[in-house]
Amino acid sequence: MYQSLYRKYRPRNFSEVLGQNHIVRTLKNQIKTGRIGHAYLFCGTRGTGKTSVAKIFAKAVNCPNSVEGEPCNRCQICESANNNSLIDIIEIDAASNNSVDDVRELRDNIIYAPSICKYKVYIIDEVHMLSGSAFNALLKTLEEPPSHAIFILATTEPNKIPATILSRCQRFDFKRIPSKVISQNIGKIAKDSNINIENRAIAMIARHGNGSMRDAISILEQCVSYNDVLTYDDVCDILGTVNDDTLYTLVKRINDRNAKEVINQIDKLMLYGIDVSNLIKAMLSFLRDIVIYKTCGTESEEILETEINDKILKASEFDMSFLSNAIEKLIDLQGKIRYAQSPRILFEITVLKLMNPEISPDIDSILDRIKKLENRLNNVKVAFNGENDAGIILKKDVVKSEKGVEDDEVDADEIKNKHVKITESTEKSDKIDVNEVFKEVLNIIKKDRPMIFSFLSLGKPYLKDGNFMIEYPKEHEFYKDELNKVENKDYIKDVIKKLTGIDYIVNVVVKKNENDELIEAVKKYFGDVEIID
Amino acid sequence: MNLNYAEFLEIVNKRFSPAYVFYGEERFLIDEAVKRLKNKLLTDGTDIMNLSIIENVDDKNIIDSLETLPFMSDHRLILIKDDEFFKKLNDSTINNIIKHIENGDTNNCIAFIFGDKIDMRKKLFKTISKVGAIVNFEHLKYEEAVNYVGFFVRKYGKVIKKPVAEYIVKNIGVDLYRLLNEVKKFVSYSNDKEILLDDVKFLISSNMSESIFRLVNAIGLRQENTAIYVLNRMIANDENPIGILAMIVRQFRILLKAKYLLMQNADRKELQSRLGVPYFSINDIIEQSKRFEEDDLIDAYELCLKCDRELKLSYDGNVVLESLIRKLCN
């Protein structure tokens, strides 16, 4: 009877488990030292070895001849465990037995001692599917299990499991298997089953496995009957994906705005029978690889879990704003495409929009256009600067030759300079920061005439038509009157003059409230008229 | 008497009480306390006969077991573990129990275990607090949990340095059962006498909260590559993209609030109480809010909204989030 590859190559002892060394080592040590817990939780994505490790562990704790924590796979117990016929290893699929009654049945049976083994091992797969009350029923058993029972809960979604259960289990996180490890194993299996396959094709399969060994092996199995010698292109065909070379050319043509070629290429790909949404997906992941490589550099291999190939290296010359615009558009397209009547047209239009940002008015395209403009401007600038430099050199030469003549004019120049300085200083005074000046003024007055200081410090200074205004709110009108006395006003004026060198007219006023201001404005406009409320 | 665990340990061996209440989230210590109580009240050999555990109360079974006499021993212990105790029993039964407790009968000792907070105004608890003991088992403080990690490790005959223990507590939290289970893993993993930080980092169960804070902090500091790195690790760990987005939005909400509060010259204390974030993260938040202009923060909301829509139209999670992060950081 034909057995599918992933069942045939399911690991039978700990050393065959790949990519989970930390878990295997811990479990083996626990068996060796006899520190076996009574509840384990295995979590991780599909195909990372949860069920396999659970089965091996169940076998190993019961195997009488286990060496260094490994099951012997020869004794009666190991053999019947391998045939799934051992009655003390109970596998429960929680997805289909998820009710309270199922858990109650388990509770009723668990008190009986194991029949031939040392431990009764319950493997509960997909445990997150249990109902809420089933979890509660299970919790009571997990809290005080009989000493001969071991629970192994396996799940892909640990976040769906109640915290009360989590806290009672030893939790092991199964990591995604690195694609290098998958490649090695696929290579081994292929050799073992006499499958001729290119190394590049193996890498492609491993990448598509996405960290899951079972997925990768399934893909291999799918490919086996395709051709005598499996090549990279064959695998791409079967997976319906587009290879990196094609993607690179496509993206490059889009970047170069070679619309004719792009449409031609898309047409070819369609003829080839490639699905539009697959193509978009492939393009997106290719663009993403480039962007991540551009931002993260060397760390990107770890993030992407693949090696950076020469295509990505080459593609990293593309401009970031182009890339992110393209990603943005394609993401958008990916969402729309499933409702589209004719996905191909939608795709072509999007690609055209990418090439001619003029068509679409959204912000990303505009940014893209600005970027392009800036580049062109820079080019122009560079050219222009070159000219300028030449001009300056020329001028200098002229200056040198004319130096003799200019000597007479030096005096005049000096005078001019002085003049400039003078105007500058007056200009400066206009631009004085009133608040700064006011602070200084206050500092001086504080020592001199503390009385005036205390009045003045509440005011708010500003400049108006060259007058130094000090403003008070209505309720402080008293201060205004006091400061408006001639001797005080003159004193302030002197201090300001001493400080800034400018003869300001000092005016102390009361801030008008809005109504007054309005009335004044009206009066200004209509002349002095009587206003009736 | 209302006590904590330490105070309970002091009195438990000194005298007998007719009733105890243990409540709180720290199940490990509650179980320890029950063990102490058993040791104190029951003698070896007859402990099965004299211990009754009631997990599903009704009007009959509690009174029945209260009226049973101890067998070949001075005491009986009745454990009641039912959070719906007050819903299931009628008033007369509860009054009977109260009467029994008031009698000061230490032959039949009754212990209630509740997972949640209890209502101290209830007459039952008032009575017990008069003649017995009510013990609160709330979650431990950080330092206490670190000490417990050291204690667990020593129990298994190994040693651990304090920074390593702190790392474990930071990642796992203060729940003692979880800590104990993690420690069991580390103890089995290392072949040496000491538990090393590298082993722990490798083996520790991934904890959502730590990495999500690393992610949002990286975004707040506009460190694009760290943010993308952390994001991909989280997605590889099957974190839900919508959940991640929710945390990013939360961060920007906090930053925006902080920005406004800082404009009004609020001090740290006020910031903390108004933002509702822990005090140690205030510095980070101030630092981060300086890196964004007010307009940037409001734009960030728009971007998050767009991203939310895209995620819910089931676009590819990590591509959408990556492009969001790229925009937020630049």
Side-chain angles (χ1 to χ4, degrees), chain A residues 22 25-26 29-30 35 45 167 169 171-173 175-176 288 291 295 302-303 328 331 335 338, chain B residues 177-178 181 185 187-189 191 202 205-206 224 229 232 236 238 306 314-315 322-323 326-327:
Chain A
H22 57 295
R25 182 170 152 191
T26 315
N29 279 343
Q30 290 194 349
R35 278 194 205 116
T45 36
S167 74
C169 303
R171 174 174 169 177
F172 288 92
D173 288 315
K175 307 214 157 89
R176 276 171 200 258
R288 173 176 171 249
V291 170
T295 44
E302 202 182 327
I303 295 174
E328 210 45 33
I331 289 175
R338 65 188 97 191
Chain B
Y177 262 116
R178 285 196 65 187
N181 278 319
K185 253 168 38 177
V187 168
S188 308
Y189 182 75
N191 294 327
F202 200 54
S205 297
S206 67
E224 187 181 346
Y229 180 76
N232 277 285
D238 279 333
K306 182 165 166 278
S314 66
Y315 292 10
E322 269 168 26
S323 90
R326 209 171 295 123
K327 280 187 215 147

Side-chain angles (χ1 to χ4, degrees), chain A residues 262-475:
Chain A
V262 170
I263 297 294
N264 262 336
Q265 197 183 359
I266 292 174
D267 185 48
K268 239 188 240 162
L269 288 170
M270 296 294 121
L271 275 182
Y272 218 58
I274 280 167
D275 182 44
V276 177
S277 49
N278 261 345
L279 179 59
I280 297 170
K281 210 170 142 196
M283 264 179 92
L284 260 178
S285 86
F286 181 68
L287 290 170
R288 173 176 171 249
D289 289 359
I290 303 169
V291 170
I292 288 190
Y293 174 70
K294 279 187 84 153
T295 44
C296 298
T298 44
E299 272 176 17
S300 53
E301 282 205 8
E302 202 182 327
I303 295 174
L304 300 170
E305 287 177 355
T306 52
E307 54 247 77
I308 301 299
N309 58 26
D310 54 329
K311 284 292 162 304
I312 291 175
L313 278 181
K314 238 165 116 186
S316 65
E317 76 203 25
F318 295 140
D319 194 67
M320 197 64 180
S321 65
F322 164 71
L323 291 173
S324 60
N325 184 19
I327 289 182
E328 210 45 33
K329 285 272 165 57
L330 289 175
I331 289 175
D332 214 36
L333 179 64
Q334 211 179 21
K336 283 183 196 151
I337 206 107
R338 65 188 97 191
Y339 309 113
Q341 287 283 329
S342 45
R344 180 176 165 179
I345 298 178
L346 210 56
F347 177 60
E348 282 170 346
I349 292 287
T350 311
V351 171
L352 283 177
K353 273 187 190 163
L354 270 180
M355 278 182 285
N356 303 307
E358 294 83 33
I359 307 177
S360 62
D362 65 302
I363 191 85
D364 286 306
S365 327
I366 292 173
L367 280 181
D368 197 28
R369 283 166 71 185
I370 292 176
K371 185 86 200 172
K372 291 238 152 80
L373 250 175
E374 272 176 359
N375 281 343
R376 270 163 68 183
L377 252 176
N378 271 339
N379 289 342
V380 172
K381 240 189 213 163
V382 169
F384 189 71
N385 275 346
E387 263 174 35
N388 246 0
D389 284 347
I392 285 164
I393 291 163
L394 262 177
K395 240 188 189 166
K396 265 187 187 165
D397 284 349
V398 174
V399 168
K400 260 181 200 166
S401 65
E402 281 178 2
K403 218 176 183 180
V405 190
E406 265 183 348
D407 270 354
D408 291 350
E409 290 169 20
V410 169
D411 280 0
D413 260 6
E414 248 170 51
I415 294 162
K416 227 185 190 172
N417 276 345
K418 266 183 191 165
H419 188 71
V420 169
K421 260 182 200 164
I422 291 160
T423 44
E424 254 178 21
S425 72
T426 47
E427 262 174 24
K428 236 186 207 168
S429 64
D430 277 343
K431 283 179 202 156
I432 300 177
D433 186 353
V434 191
N435 288 318
E436 275 313 310
V437 172
F438 193 66
K439 244 190 226 163
E440 293 286 338
V441 169
L442 281 179
N443 270 338
I444 294 171
I445 296 179
K446 191 178 182 182
K447 286 171 208 151
D448 242 20
R449 307 266 299 263
M451 174 85 161
I452 295 187
F453 164 76
S454 63
F455 290 156
L456 210 55
S457 59
L458 291 162
K460 229 173 125 192
Y462 62 94
L463 281 179
K464 191 183 166 192
D465 311 333
N467 292 0
F468 199 99
M469 313 291 282
I470 302 166
E471 191 184 68
Y472 284 90
K474 185 89 177 163
E475 62 265 33

Side-chain angles (χ1 to χ4, degrees), chain A residues 102-139:
Chain A
D102 296 312
V103 177
R104 287 214 182 109
E105 196 189 316
L106 185 155
R107 274 174 70 188
D108 294 342
N109 287 328
I110 201 166
I111 46 170
Y112 302 115
S115 52
I116 44 173
C117 298
K118 206 165 145 199
Y119 293 101
K120 222 172 181 177
V121 186
Y122 285 84
I123 301 175
I124 307 181
D125 223 339
E126 312 295 336
V127 71
H128 62 271
M129 300 294 281
L130 286 183
S131 68
S133 40
F135 267 126
N136 283 332
L138 185 63
L139 182 62

Side-chain angles (χ1 to χ4, degrees), chain B residues 69-281:
Chain B
L69 288 174
F71 177 78
M72 306 244 307
S73 162
D74 293 338
H75 304 282
R76 261 171 62 77
L77 177 61
I78 304 158
L79 282 179
I80 298 174
K81 299 181 183 175
D82 197 332
D83 278 353
E84 287 170 346
F85 180 82
F86 289 100
K87 276 187 208 154
K88 284 181 183 167
L89 297 186
N90 64 31
D91 289 349
S92 67
T93 319
I94 294 180
N95 281 332
N96 268 338
I97 297 172
I98 291 174
K99 249 181 229 156
H100 189 91
I101 293 169
E102 275 174 340
N103 281 342
D105 166 21
T106 52
N107 286 345
N108 272 341
C109 175
I110 184 164
F112 297 91
I113 296 169
F114 292 101
D116 293 330
K117 284 229 162 70
I118 55 169
D119 183 358
M120 286 296 189
R121 290 166 302 181
K122 285 210 160 31
K123 198 180 169 202
L124 176 69
F125 296 132
K126 277 186 183 159
T127 318
I128 296 179
S129 109
K130 243 183 268 158
V131 297
I134 296 184
V135 192
N136 178 7
F137 292 86
E138 53 193 9
H139 273 313
L140 291 183
K141 300 261 168 19
Y142 176 76
E143 291 83 18
E144 293 171 304
V146 173
N147 289 339
Y148 264 99
V149 170
F151 168 71
F152 289 149
V153 172
R154 279 194 300 279
K155 214 170 81 183
Y156 287 105
K158 303 226 174 183
V159 289
I160 188 167
K161 290 219 170 74
K162 197 167 179 214
V164 186
E166 283 174 346
Y167 180 84
I168 296 174
V169 177
K170 259 183 214 154
N171 277 283
I172 299 298
V174 290
D175 188 280
L176 286 183
Y177 262 116
R178 285 196 65 187
L179 287 171
L180 177 62
N181 278 319
E182 290 293 320
V183 165
K184 277 183 193 162
K185 253 168 38 177
F186 305 136
V187 168
S188 308
Y189 182 75
S190 71
N191 294 327
D192 310 324
K193 184 109 175 73
E194 191 184 337
I195 292 179
L196 300 169
L197 187 59
D198 285 343
D199 297 346
V200 171
K201 274 186 180 161
F202 200 54
L203 208 62
I204 201 157
S205 297
S206 67
N207 187 308
M208 165 107 173
S209 57
E210 194 234 5
S211 33
I212 188 75
F213 288 122
R214 261 183 73 199
L215 175 71
V216 292
N217 280 338
I219 295 175
L221 296 171
R222 302 196 147 185
Q223 293 164 342
E224 187 181 346
N225 51 3
T226 326
I228 288 192
Y229 180 76
V230 177
L231 173 75
N232 277 285
R233 284 241 336 254
M234 291 177 70
I235 288 183
N237 278 329
D238 279 333
E239 234 34 278
N240 183 356
I242 294 182
I244 297 176
L245 178 68
M247 289 301 287
I248 296 177
V249 175
R250 171 182 176 269
Q251 183 78 357
F252 277 96
R253 191 163 45 234
I254 290 174
L255 289 184
L256 189 62
K257 276 191 205 162
K259 190 104 198 160
Y260 286 139
L261 288 172
L262 284 174
M263 276 182 205
Q264 294 163 15
N265 294 325
D267 61 1
R268 269 146 216 267
K269 262 267 155 52
E270 195 185 341
L271 266 181
Q272 188 215 346
S273 65
R274 298 279 283 271
L275 298 177
V277 294
Y279 192 73
F280 56 81
S281 65

Side-chain angles (χ1 to χ4, degrees), chain A residues 468-486:
Chain A
F468 199 99
M469 313 291 282
I470 302 166
E471 191 184 68
Y472 284 90
K474 185 89 177 163
E475 62 265 33
H476 293 154
E477 203 172 0
F478 164 74
Y479 296 143
K480 183 201 98 176
D481 297 340
E482 196 60 29
L483 288 173
N484 262 341
K485 284 178 182 161
V486 182

